Amino acid sequence: GNSVTQMEGPVTLSEEAFLTINCTYTATGYPSLFWYVQYPGEGLQLLLKATKADDKGSNKGFEATYRKETTSFHLEKGSVQVSDSAVYFCALREIKAAGNKLTFGGGTRVLVKP
Amino acid sequence: DTEVTQTPKHLVMGMTNKKSLKCEQHMGHRAMYWYKQKAKKPPELMFVYSYEKLSINESVPSRFSPECPNSSLLNLHLHALQPEDSALYLCASSQLLVAGRNTIYFGEGSWLTVV
């Protein structure tokens, strides 16, 4: 079956530091890949996505590139802010007629200190 | 607009109560989902409705009863819950089988506490 593995947190950084969260996946076929972010006390927000190999998703200064050869989709941001403190989930999606199914990684908690 | 609206935001209920969680979307999506999320864990899929019909039930106990009155609304009826059912319940929606438009969008969630 499909699976997603992401680095365990918490990751603690100072403001303006560089952030990388590793994500690797196992899947049959060619899934689409996503990063969702969950701020404290809130639901999940789509951060970025990539639907095919070598696609780069980007949003709010975050980037991730779909690397088929290494089955990875690592999330990066060059200069984090306190407001980026959240839990980040990597996910892959299977498209089915019965409904799209997301497989999530375990989540990585990021804490940015001033 | 990528908004999925859930009510109530917080709910406290006793083990003998009957309550409902509600979800609404106006994006024209034909798939709607219920997820359950426990603290410090990723969301777990509970149910999927496809074209207003239940298409996936991930072996959820019958004390959770989903309902899809129309293509914009999704309910989750709760009855005789246990304290371990306390969690964040997330509703989501997506298009179905539309190339490039199958992203799943989540609501803010309903925080449920069973006492």
Side-chain angles (χ1 to χ4, degrees), chain B:
Chain B
D1 183 11
T2 56
E3 189 169 301
V4 177
T5 304
Q6 291 187 241
T7 56
K9 191 165 176 65
H10 298 276
L11 177 63
V12 179
M13 62 184 291
M15 289 188 284
T16 58
N17 290 159
K18 287 184 180 181
K19 297 286 185 183
S20 297
L21 305 180
K22 298 184 182 300
C23 175
E24 189 170 5
Q25 57 89 14
H26 294 289
M27 295 178 278
H29 289 170
R30 302 313 302 272
M32 296 187 75
Y33 310 77
W34 280 114
Y35 283 80
K36 174 182 178 180
Q37 187 180 23
K38 300 285 280 184
K40 299 186 179 181
K41 296 290 186 182
E44 297 176 353
L45 183 64
M46 300 174 71
F47 303 103
V48 182
Y49 272 81
S50 171
Y51 298 101
E52 295 104 71
K53 294 191 188 307
L54 184 63
S55 56
I56 297 176
N57 177 343
E58 295 285 308
S59 303
V60 178
S62 60
R63 58 186 184 269
F64 295 91
S65 176
E67 178 197 20
C68 189
N70 60 52
S71 60
S72 300
L73 295 174
L74 184 66
N75 299 321
L76 185 63
H77 302 299
L78 314 170
H79 175 51
L81 295 192
Q82 302 298 309
E84 58 265 29
D85 296 321
S86 298
L88 177 66
Y89 288 83
L90 293 162
C91 176
S93 70
S94 75
Q95 269 295 5
L96 273 175
L97 300 176
V98 176
R101 295 177 59 191
N102 293 287
T103 299
I104 297 175
Y105 295 96
F106 287 84
E108 288 294 302
S110 293
W111 292 90
L112 174 67
T113 303
V114 182
V115 297

Side-chain angles (χ1 to χ4, degrees), chain A residues 6 34-36 38 87-91 104-107, chain B residues 37 41-43:
Chain A
Q6 59 181 109
F34 300 82
W35 278 100
Y36 286 89
Q38 188 171 32
V87 179
Y88 293 81
F89 291 98
C90 184
F104 286 97
Chain B
Q37 187 180 23
K41 296 290 186 182

